[in-house]
Amino acid sequence: MHKLSLPASLTRRDWGRAALTIALAPWSLSAQQALGAPEDAKQRVRWRNDPFALGVASGQPRADSVLLWTRLWVQEADAALNTQALAVQCEVFADEALRQRVGQWTVMTHAQRGMSVHVEAKGLQPARAYWYRFTCGSASSPVGRTRTTPAAQDKVAQLRMALASCQHFEQGHFTAHREIAQQDLDLVLFVGDYIYESSNPRYQLRAHQGGVPQTLDEYRARHAQYKGDADLRAAHAAHPWVMTWDDHEVVNDYANDRDPKLTDPQVFLRRRAAAYQAYFEHMPVRVGPDAANPANMRIHDRMAWGQLADIWTLDNRQYRSYHACPDPLKGGGRVVMGCNELADAQRSMLGIDQERWLTQGLNTSKAAWKVVAQGTQMSSTGLATPLGRSAFTDGWDGYPVARERFLQNIADAKLQDVLVLGGDVHMNVAAQLRVQPNDEKSPIVASELVTTSITSRGMGETLAAQIRSNNPDIAHLRPDERGFTWVQITPEGVQSAFKTTANPVQPGSAFGTQAQFAVQRGVAGVVKG
Ligand code: FE
Ligand code: CA
């Protein structure tokens, strides 16, 4: 028996509660009050164009709930609807044929929240698939499929994920998402660069509409263009997504309240607020920007996959210390040598609060595997130079003391089976993580897999070869191909496969296996095969 969270016909009080199940932005309440009566929820809006053209999505699964998302896309012919609050129904079914409805929710949306819809579907059973769809007046959405996590005490046999990041719309087609949609997976783990704000005219298979976004409407338009891609919509409709962001969701190489142009922080924070708001409006995430301070939005999170795995998704951007030794005219990350600031123990990639939250969580976790998913590469990519070892200051090499704190804690607390997953660098990487990078005397304490980009171009082979030869901890590093990483976790170990195709990705591109890496339970470090 599935618990019916709300009856199909709602009393006035129930309806109010239903509307409150959306992740509330400050204006949602007033919209709901303006509407008042439950009959309005049954308004018969007649659409001329399909308002569900941006698709449906689910995310942040739990054992008894999942977040369901859509955004009404109001086109020219329906523009009059932009001034109204609209009621959207969401139904959840236990079967693909949509015969056994287990829950129905009605929520309100309107233009001030970008016509976005976030429904927390509660009262679900653990470890099973559900199907869902939205309706608004005369229009119905495509059907999405999602999945709840196993219950906390469940001894689970496996977790199968696609790890993905970096999908520059202009630099390739989202064919990898078509492939992800067809895979038998429990979830998609997306670790950042969902949109890109910028363009590189040299690598353009298709074009962004509009210029570099600055305002809420411009970020909304950019997200909507990405969601206009059928392959991306298919991957969202097929699996729940667990997400964090990196920099390009706002602007390249931003750090906390500082953008690479060293804009006045008050001005940049308004842009960050617009970017975070648009991100929330387009993603299956539960929490949006802080009502009191809309430039802040909590994205970091922890979820459990029964007793098999705890998964942390970290925020590497919002709370980080500024880049060390920046170019005073350019800001942002760069390659430095002999930068003493790197040794400053006060500097943090995650911010002190998130660092503490992560450490505490890791040290008390009872899960077999501790999976730390975050935006970028943790293993070092520095090169020996006459001026000392080089460091790229935007990645973990730019926060070496914070990295050491994270890895030293794993050693001190004797944590086993820590797997770090990342993206951002547009190359597949498998690496050993030692407290002291590349120091054979320093023990391997964790294993790292970094996924290549869905589309974004990677670095050249000359630099890649230098990185490989300067960093013995790196077991595999290839920037030439695009794709995603298949990861399967069982009580005995981790199996992974870099699923790739040639750059740039074309609509018909076929995916093969570039390399496979495993991690054995109880033995830190990646092993080929
Ligand atoms: Fe990227
Ligand atoms: Ca990035």
Side-chain angles (χ1 to χ4, degrees):
M1 246 322 266
H2 298 287
K3 206 177 111 210
L4 200 66
S5 292
L6 276 174
S9 66
L10 303 168
T11 67
R12 187 182 183 122
R13 189 178 299 141
D14 284 341
W15 180 81
R17 213 179 292 140
L20 279 167
T21 62
I22 59 179
L24 280 175
W27 46 80
S28 304
L29 268 175
S30 52
Q32 177 208 335
Q33 280 155 4
L35 248 124
E39 298 77 60
D40 291 327
K42 296 180 192 135
Q43 63 189 309
R44 190 72 189 162
V45 175
R46 294 207 63 82
W47 294 91
R48 292 167 195 274
N49 285 315
D50 178 13
F52 294 107
L54 304 183
V56 300
S58 69
Q60 287 186 300
R62 300 289 186 253
D64 61 350
S65 69
V66 65
L67 196 287
L68 304 177
W69 170 92
T70 192
R71 178 191 171 198
L72 303 178
W73 181 239
V74 184
Q75 298 168 66
E76 201 58 40
D78 295 305
L81 295 173
N82 268 324
T83 58
Q84 299 181 30
L86 298 173
V88 180
Q89 282 80 44
C90 175
E91 298 167 281
V92 177
F93 302 86
D95 61 325
E96 194 171 2
L98 311 185
R99 291 202 188 92
Q100 305 167 53
R101 190 167 72 192
V102 299
Q104 178 180 270
W105 291 264
T106 300
V107 299
M108 302 306 301
T109 190
H110 59 97
Q112 272 179 286
R113 62 182 344 267
M115 292 291 181
S116 65
V117 176
H118 293 78
V119 174
E120 190 183 9
K122 290 181 176 168
L124 306 179
Q125 300 293 309
R128 61 153 300 160
Y130 287 96
W131 289 261
Y132 61 95
R133 75 172 165 209
F134 297 90
T135 6
C136 180
S138 60
S140 283
S141 77
V143 175
R145 180 189 165 283
T146 189
R147 190 168 189 87
T148 50
T149 70
Q153 294 316 309
D154 277 8
K155 290 200 165 61
V156 196
Q158 62 175 10
L159 165 60
R160 293 156 309 171
M161 308 184 285
L163 174 67
S165 80
C166 294
Q167 46 191 29
H168 202 302
F169 184 86
E170 296 184 328
Q171 296 182 3
H173 292 270
F174 292 165
T175 318
H177 281 307
R178 173 73 47 191
E179 192 76 13
I180 287 171
Q182 286 159 6
Q183 302 258 330
D184 194 5
L185 298 171
D186 296 307
L187 57 93
V188 174
L189 191 50
F190 194 90
V191 291
D193 290 355
Y194 187 97
I195 57 162
Y196 280 71
E197 85 291 0
S198 52
S199 293
N200 185 337
R202 285 172 65 202
Y203 309 106
Q204 246 181 1
L205 277 73
R206 46 186 185 168
H208 280 150
Q209 291 156 16
V212 176
Q214 301 276 348
T215 66
L216 177 54
D217 279 343
E218 289 164 357
Y219 278 107
R220 280 172 173 161
R222 181 58 49 88
H223 275 282
Q225 186 182 6
Y226 277 55
K227 284 274 178 9
D229 184 286
D231 292 341
L232 178 57
R233 289 201 305 276
H236 275 297
H239 313 292
W241 284 39
V242 174
M243 309 188 65
T244 189
W245 55 39
D246 192 35
D247 51 346
H248 287 285
E249 284 85 352
V250 182
V251 64
N252 182 46
D253 279 8
Y254 82 94
N256 204 314
D257 61 1
R258 181 179 278 187
D259 77 0
K261 287 185 175 154
L262 309 174
T263 304
D264 173 352
Q266 293 314 309
V267 175
F268 173 61
L269 284 176
R270 282 200 289 277
R271 183 183 185 190
R272 197 177 90 176
Y276 284 1
Q277 176 64 27
Y279 181 91
F280 170 67
E281 289 174 358
H282 291 83
M283 297 304 161
V285 295
R286 288 166 195 254
V287 180
D290 283 0
N293 189 347
N296 297 347
M297 176 173 151
R298 179 169 170 151
I299 191 90
H300 61 281
D301 192 25
R302 174 186 176 168
M303 65 175 281
W305 197 261
Q307 294 194 1
L308 180 65
D310 280 338
I311 304 171
W312 286 263
T313 35
L314 306 184
D315 181 343
N316 282 353
R317 288 286 161 191
Q318 195 174 177
Y319 316 109
R320 66 156 72 189
S321 305
Y322 299 146
H323 295 100
C325 302
D327 180 331
L329 299 176
K330 258 181 68 218
R334 63 167 171 163
V335 176
V336 297
M337 284 144 291
C339 169
N340 293 330
E341 209 191 320
L342 289 174
D344 181 352
Q346 306 295 314
R347 301 183 67 256
S348 172
M349 171 77 102
L350 304 173
I352 294 308
D353 290 346
Q354 189 183 185
E355 249 188 59
R356 196 175 299 141
W357 164 84
L358 172 64
T359 307
Q360 222 162 52
L362 283 168
N363 294 1
T364 54
S365 169
K366 301 218 162 32
W369 291 92
K370 289 156 265 299
V371 180
V372 179
Q374 45 85 53
T376 189
Q377 179 179 355
M378 188 170 278
S379 49
S380 182
T381 57
L383 309 180
T385 81
L387 299 172
R389 202 176 153 82
S390 70
F392 177 55
T393 57
D394 191 63
W396 279 99
D397 275 348
Y399 301 83
V401 185
R403 173 172 61 194
E404 189 179 320
R405 273 197 300 274
F406 171 75
L407 295 167
Q408 185 68 55
N409 171 69
I410 295 174
D412 293 347
K414 299 187 165 55
L415 302 181
Q416 286 196 313
D417 307 312
V418 177
L419 175 67
V420 176
L421 301 176
D424 173 51
V425 289
H426 310 172
M427 55 190 180
N428 285 320
V429 180
Q432 325 300 358
L433 292 173
R434 304 176 194 268
V435 178
Q436 302 301 329
N438 300 312
D439 178 353
E440 267 185 40
K441 292 187 284 294
S442 182
I444 297 170
V445 296
S447 318
E448 177 175 49
L449 297 170
V450 178
T451 190
T452 193
S453 52
I454 293 285
T455 52
S456 310
R457 266 184 91 253
M459 65 172 68
E461 175 53 28
T462 311
L463 178 56
Q466 286 177 310
I467 293 174
R468 284 193 299 266
S469 63
N470 277 270
N471 294 276
D473 283 351
I474 291 177
H476 179 93
L477 183 147
R478 267 186 71 176
D480 57 320
E481 295 190 314
R482 312 276 71 85
F484 64 97
T485 300
W486 176 86
V487 181
Q488 176 182 263
I489 301 180
T490 69
E492 292 75 40
V494 175
Q495 287 290 332
S496 73
F498 296 128
K499 308 299 282 186
T500 56
T501 193
N503 182 75
V505 189
Q506 301 291 351
S509 291
F511 288 76
T513 300
Q514 181 185 90
Q516 302 185 76
F517 282 87
V519 183
Q520 201 190 317
R521 180 86 182 274
V523 186
V526 294
V527 182
K528 201 166 164 71

